Every structure is written in C-alpha cells, then in structure tokens.
Amino acid sequence: MSGLRVIVGCKRVIDYAVKIRVKPDKTGVITDGVKHSMNPFDEIAVEEAVRMKEKKLASEVIAVSCGPTQCQETLRTAMAMGADKSIHVEVDAATYENLQPLHVAKILAKVAQEEKADIVFTGKQAIDDDCNQTGQMVAAILDWPQATFASKVEKVDGGLTVTREIDGGLETIKVKVPAVLTADLRLNEPRYATLPNIMKAKKKPMAKKKPADYGVDVGPRQSVLKVEDPPVRQAGSKLDSVESLVAKLKDAGLVPS
Amino acid sequence: QHVRSLSSLVDLPETHEMLRKTCRDFADNELIPIAAKLDKEHLYPKEQVKKMGELGLMAMDVPESEGGTGLDYLAYAIGMEEISRGCASCGVIMSVNNSLYLGPLMKNGNAAQKEKFVKPFLDGSQVGCFALSEPGNGSDAGAASTVAQLGSGKYTLNGTKAWITNGYEAAATVVSGDKPDLSFLHCTLVYWMILVPVFQQTLDAGRIGIAAQGLGIAQAALDCAVDYALKRNSFGMPIAKMQSVQMKIADMETRLESARLLTWKAAMFKDAGKNFTKEAAMAKLAASETATYNAHNAIQILGGMGYVTDMPAERHYRDARITEIYEGTSDIQRIVIATNVFKEYGA
C-alpha cells in the first residue's frame, strides 16, 4: 500500500493535573477558567501517526476534533506535533454537554469516508468520561477491523501488526487496512511541540465544519441526572492480630459467624 | 504539579500558550529532575541546552528566514520563566545566548558575520557569551580597560574579562569596551570574536531575560512553599491554615504577579518598537527582588527543611540572589529608573 491516509481524533479535555470540582448545582464539573489540554491518549495517537509519516508509511495525517471553538487550540497542537491539516467540527457549548461517543463516532466515520482515510486513530479513551467506546463504534459503523489498546503498531504485508495491552497480558493481531486503531499509554512518548513547529502550524489548513455537514444528528440521547463527588474515604484502623481482624469482619457481617 | 489558571488581566495569545506548555513540560520532564544534581556537582547542562536548542529556545527572536524561531520578546519572557522554573542555570544560559550574544549580532552584524557567528549558535550545539565586566569594573562599565588595536588588517585585544556567563563553554564572544573608537588590548579569552560598541538596547533586552529568570525562580519557590504548607502538620493542622503562613503566601503571590506584569509590559514595549529602558529596569528590579523575597520566605515556611539541601528552597535562594546583582545591580536599575522618571518630568 502506498502512503496511508490517517485521521486522528483529538478530544479537548480538562488537564490531567487539575483538581476537579463539582458544580454547586451538581449538573456537572466546573470547566470555566479551568486548564484544558488534548486528551493524553489522543496525543499518543497523534504522535504515532506523525511517526508513521516520518517512516513514509503514512502520506497525510489529518486531526479532527468535535466541540466548541476552543477545540481549535487542540487541533493546532496536533498540527504543531506534525499533523498536516485539521478539521474542526463545531458543536456549541450547550449541545457539547450531552455529546456522546456515538455522536462522535458517526461524525468520524463520515469524515473518514470523505477523506478516503485508511486509518482512524484515537486514544483508547478520554480521561474525562473514560468511555472507551468511540474507536470501537467507528469500526462498527464503517465495518472496519479494529485494533484497540495498541502498544505497538507495525506495517507488514497486507496490513498492520498490532500488539494490544489486554487484561491477560499482550496480544498481537494482524489487521487489514482500512482499520481503526486506538492508542494505549505505552505506544510511544509524544514529542514536544517545538517552537518552530508551533509557528508552522499557524499556516496549516483548518477546515470548519458542522455535524449537519456530515448528516449527523447530535441531539442528546441521554440526560444527566446528577453529578457528585464520590464519598469521602473513611479512615481504616490498624489491628494487632489475625483474630481481631476475623472478629471485626464477623461483627460487620462480612464473614459468616 | 501545579496548574495556574491565567487569572491575570491579559489572556495570552494562543501561540504563547502553546509555547508555554512546551517549555513547562520540558522543564518538568527534563530540568526539574536534574537541577539539584547540576547545582551540587557544578555541571554545565550541555545535553539540556542542546535539547532546548532543538525546541527553538536558544534563538527565539531571530527571524525564521535566518534560521531562528521568529517569535517576539513576550514569547521569550514566557519561555525564560518556564525554563528557569525548572533550572535557573539553564535559564541564564538561554538568556545570555538570546539577548546578550545573538541580540547585538543580529542588530549590527553583516551577512558574513551572521554566517559565522549567528548560524552555528541557533540550535543549542554552541553557545555564545557577552564579555563586559572585568576584575576592576562591573557597574562601572565606563572604566573598562580592555583595548583593541588595529594592525595589519586585524584587531588585537588586550585585557582581562571576568564573571562571564557561558564563558568556559562559549565558542564565540561579543566583547565590549566603552569607547566607540574600539581601542582594545589583546584579551586573555581565546575565542573567535567580533566587537561591537555596547548599546543600551542589548542590556535592556538582557534585563527582560533576567527578569523572566527571576520570575521562574520566584514561582518555583512559591510552588515549593505552598506544596509544603498544605502537607506539613503542626499544632494539629496543616500549617497552611495559619495566618502567619497565609500572609507570606499572599505577599509572595502578589509580588510575583506584579513583577510578571512589569516583565510582560517591558517585553511588549520592545516588541512594539517603543523605548523600553525604564520598563526593563523596573521589571528586572522587581523580579529579582521578588525571587529573593519568595525564596527567603519559602525557606522560612519550610523551617529547618528549608535550610537543608534535601529540599530545593535553599537552592532557589542562591539562584535568586545573583539575579539582584548580574546584568545590572538593583542599585544601577534604580538609578536608571530615577533618571528616566526625571526625564519624563522634563528635567
């Protein structure tokens, strides 16, 4: 196969280092004025796609993000890392609150078809909702093979060999192209966006689209009832012997007396 | 790790936010882990400087057409602060190369000189230095006694320079004396060299760099103090709950933000082509004294732990202290500021 065309899904999320606070009205978490960045797993996907281009496996890397205007910052970071161009699918802030993986997957699938992509690459999950669904849904919609939780990707005759991190250890599979890949933590270490590349990214094209352009309805499919902090962890107690431990477990009804 | 939300009155342009993130991530990953070792073993961070060069940090405002990063001085100030927050030594190396070495060369060098003295100094593989001070004079730059004599088509320098940052590692130096007719003696530093008269602009630009370095040190000291205060328990509570600690933290944060705004203003004046001598002096004065203030108070908040080398507070203090001295002592900065104030009043 000559140069693969790679779409990379990039989500703008609250920065991993921020201490999350629940809104007083319990409808969500506070995002106003809070530091956001590209989902770390998506960063890894961008890095891998750029490396594929450097190895001449990929011919073009296109970053895509669905959300409000601020997503453009995320896309410019992707371009500063080496993506050739980007697509911002604009979703207003109110609608974005209820945007779900299925909506995004439908959009990414359409983008992939329009851009004649060979690979759709995303992070394995977003660190805000931990859904771990978008990549898999894209594959199902397009009827493409999927290689998720990738910790290694290599080109071989007829497709790609992907090592996956699974509960039991490592699994290596071969997939034909076109395919969906999702990136896991140990796939690579993303590069710094160098200052010259940050400057170059300003000149790279960013297309502005809407979900309607792809015929996707992003109306809410669910509503959030309540968001609250997990209960405060109770202090434990130190016991001096196995006997007292067993007694306590029996008292608590956790072990039959 | 601490994430400051930008609550200042200015939202940085996107490019500047992006480069701030790159520099901060670089400082967190590559500088903070080794800063204590560099300090303890007196090592020159050659590898780190090379990486900084690859990021574009060693030639920040050299135009892209000439191989630099093509950013403005506000970007430089931001980059300097983030790098210095990680390692103050890497900060001053970066500042000298950018402001004191490349600055005058880009302004005054001809094409041939730029080819030789600018091009190889952009990517961190080589650094330059700026030799002004001598054993007999620091603040009294006019008393410089290094002379250059023109004979058989070349200059020979004679004299001794001292206190030259990057002096050992530099592959070239911008040497200056005070006399525009360039009477210099043979120099004991053996490098390729070119000579330029000292321009106020070079010093002013350097002061923005050092101000930013001071900000980075001050921030690091504040981060250290806050982190400790939230965790250290005494009298049955985290010491952060004590007003004596809160008063210090409040003053540290306020002085830091004030110095930062002064620094950014000086950088923006320079970028706008306005005269920025007074602004640069104010920035350097404020930032350097804030760096010392913050480090001093960080040590106090940490108590005994602030004094020992296990924690970085004492290193922040030593790093801070020199910023009140080099590139124009605080005393000189005050004279510059007062002189400019009187000028504004028509005196």
Side-chain angles (χ1 to χ4, degrees):
Chain A
M1 58 197 112
S2 68
L4 301 168
R5 294 176 56 73
V6 184
I7 304 279
V8 185
C10 307
K11 188 179 183 187
R12 179 175 178 265
V13 297
I14 295 178
D15 188 89
Y16 78 94
V18 169
K19 186 168 195 298
I20 307 290
R21 289 184 212 279
V22 176
K23 281 196 244 185
D25 64 6
K26 299 202 180 202
T27 56
V29 299
I30 297 175
T31 54
D32 256 354
V34 168
K35 183 167 194 254
H36 283 64
S37 22
M38 191 191 305
N39 182 38
F41 296 111
D42 296 340
E43 257 188 331
I44 294 173
V46 171
E47 174 65 26
E48 195 65 19
V50 173
R51 288 189 190 187
M52 288 171 76
K53 221 184 80 161
E54 286 167 350
K55 286 188 233 169
K56 309 257 194 274
L57 300 175
S59 59
E60 193 168 30
V61 176
I62 304 164
V64 183
S65 192
C66 304
T69 319
Q70 297 93 316
C71 291
Q72 295 181 8
E73 296 162 14
T74 310
L75 290 173
R76 263 184 284 274
T77 302
M79 292 191 289
M81 287 173 69
D84 298 293
K85 64 182 201 190
S86 58
I87 302 172
H88 171 216
V89 183
E90 175 128 33
V91 176
D92 69 74
T95 314
Y96 188 62
E97 302 237 318
N98 288 304
L99 198 69
Q100 289 294 304
L102 184 53
H103 298 123
V104 177
K106 287 180 179 175
I107 293 172
L108 287 181
K110 277 275 156 58
V111 172
Q113 285 170 326
E114 247 185 50
E115 295 288 333
K116 301 195 181 19
D118 301 299
I119 295 180
V120 172
F121 217 147
T122 68
K124 68 172 178 179
Q125 64 200 58
I127 62 170
D128 50 8
D129 56 23
D130 281 339
C131 282
N132 185 359
Q133 297 172 4
T134 308
Q136 291 88 332
M137 286 175 166
V138 172
I141 293 169
L142 291 172
D143 196 25
W144 285 8
Q146 57 182 268
T148 54
F149 313 113
S151 64
K152 195 165 182 189
V153 176
E154 280 169 322
K155 181 182 173 300
V156 292
D157 265 339
L160 301 168
T161 303
V162 180
T163 304
R164 309 177 57 228
E165 295 203 3
I166 61 173
D167 288 346
L170 297 175
E171 178 195 59
T172 305
I173 61 171
K174 186 174 161 188
V175 288
K176 292 184 190 166
V177 157
V180 172
L181 304 174
T182 76
D184 209 325
L185 186 65
R186 278 161 284 271
L187 177 57
N188 61 49
E189 212 177 296
R191 65 194 60 196
Y192 301 112
T194 69
L195 273 51
N197 285 342
I198 290 173
M199 296 299 283
K200 288 199 189 104
K202 297 208 291 197
K203 303 184 194 124
K204 292 184 180 177
M206 183 191 298
K208 316 269 167 55
K209 300 276 199 174
K210 290 194 169 8
D213 296 339
Y214 297 106
V216 176
D217 172 14
V218 289
R221 302 172 62 89
Q222 63 191 46
S223 66
V224 172
L225 299 176
K226 189 171 53 168
V227 174
E228 53 188 6
D229 282 299
V232 176
R233 193 158 174 257
Q234 297 301 311
S237 54
K238 266 184 166 166
L239 304 170
D240 54 7
S241 70
V242 174
E243 288 78 15
S244 47
L245 173 61
V246 173
K248 281 240 170 185
L249 290 172
K250 283 184 179 170
D251 285 344
L254 297 167
V255 155
S257 304
Chain B
Q1 263 175 326
H2 298 274
V3 178
R4 280 192 335 265
S5 73
L6 250 194
S7 50
S8 57
L9 46 87
V10 170
D11 258 337
L12 286 175
E14 196 190 89
T15 307
H16 295 68
E17 270 299 346
M18 288 173 75
L19 79 89
R20 187 156 159 266
K21 180 183 192 312
T22 291
C23 295
R24 178 169 281 251
D25 290 346
F26 178 79
D28 286 343
N29 297 332
E30 316 264 350
L31 299 183
I32 290 181
I34 52 134
K37 180 180 154 96
L38 292 177
D39 173 61
K40 182 170 183 192
E41 299 179 23
H42 300 180
L43 301 171
Y44 179 84
K46 201 178 165 81
E47 212 186 287
Q48 286 67 31
V49 169
K50 183 81 183 77
K51 287 185 186 176
M52 285 158 62
E54 281 158 19
L55 288 180
L57 294 173
M58 299 304 283
M60 285 193 74
D61 73 330
V62 173
E64 286 181 75
S65 52
E66 310 211 40
T69 308
L71 282 166
D72 56 21
Y73 246 61
L74 178 61
Y76 169 61
I78 291 165
M80 271 297 304
E81 180 183 339
E82 294 299 332
I83 294 298
S84 303
R85 187 188 138 270
C87 170
S89 304
C90 291
V92 72
I93 294 167
M94 172 178 160
S95 185
V96 165
N97 201 65
N98 271 282
S99 294
L100 300 184
Y101 178 74
L102 290 174
L105 278 167
M106 287 305 298
K107 212 166 152 65
N108 298 294
N110 59 35
Q113 288 168 337
K114 284 185 187 175
E115 185 66 32
K116 188 169 188 168
F117 293 107
V118 168
K119 237 169 144 197
F121 294 80
L122 302 172
D123 70 351
S125 54
Q126 295 194 104
V127 294
C129 66
F130 180 83
L132 173 58
S133 293
E134 302 179 348
N137 50 270
S139 294
D140 192 5
S145 56
T146 301
V147 293
Q149 262 148 3
L150 182 57
S152 18
K154 61 175 184 181
Y155 284 99
T156 305
L157 268 66
N158 256 311
T160 312
K161 293 294 185 182
W163 308 110
I164 310 306
T165 304
N166 292 356
Y168 286 117
E169 292 76 18
T173 182
V174 170
V175 184
S176 65
D178 202 39
K179 314 253 181 287
D181 64 353
L182 295 181
S183 53
F184 290 85
L185 293 168
H186 173 68
C187 212
T188 56
L189 306 170
V190 184
Y191 306 123
W192 291 111
M193 47 190 126
I194 69 163
L195 317 170
V196 290
V198 169
F199 286 104
Q200 184 67 44
Q201 274 240 341
T202 305
L203 297 185
D204 291 343
R207 282 164 191 176
I208 294 176
I210 297 305
Q213 184 199 24
L215 297 177
I217 297 168
Q219 185 68 60
L222 176 58
D223 292 347
C224 177
V226 171
D227 187 66
Y228 190 83
L230 291 170
K231 292 177 179 156
R232 168 70 176 176
N233 280 1
S234 202
F235 296 97
M237 66 181 92
I239 61 172
K241 288 206 186 280
M242 295 174 186
Q243 287 188 347
S244 61
V245 170
Q246 291 173 2
M247 298 301 108
K248 290 179 172 58
I249 297 293
D251 287 341
M252 288 157 82
E253 169 80 353
T254 305
R255 288 184 193 212
L256 173 51
E257 191 61 33
S258 309
R260 184 174 291 125
L261 288 173
L262 278 170
T263 305
W264 288 5
K265 183 169 180 177
M268 291 194 267
F269 267 44
K270 179 181 196 298
D271 290 335
K274 296 160 83 142
N275 183 286
F276 64 102
T277 301
K278 187 186 79 163
E279 287 69 23
M282 290 169 73
K284 202 264 189 189
L285 176 65
S288 54
E289 294 194 340
T290 298
T292 311
Y293 182 88
N294 281 18
H296 173 99
N297 280 286
I299 291 175
Q300 195 68 15
I301 288 170
L302 267 59
M305 284 306 284
Y307 188 73
V308 297
T309 55
D310 304 48
M311 293 291 278
E314 58 85 30
R315 169 165 52 88
H316 295 326
Y317 187 82
R318 286 183 289 109
D319 286 341
R321 199 61 192 81
I322 188 62
T323 67
E324 293 193 50
I325 295 168
Y326 61 20
E327 296 215 22
T329 63
S330 297
D331 318 88
I332 293 289
Q333 304 300 342
R334 287 186 161 90
I335 298 206
V336 169
I337 295 165
T339 305
N340 275 278
V341 169
F342 291 136
K343 248 196 252 172
E344 286 164 22
Y345 276 74

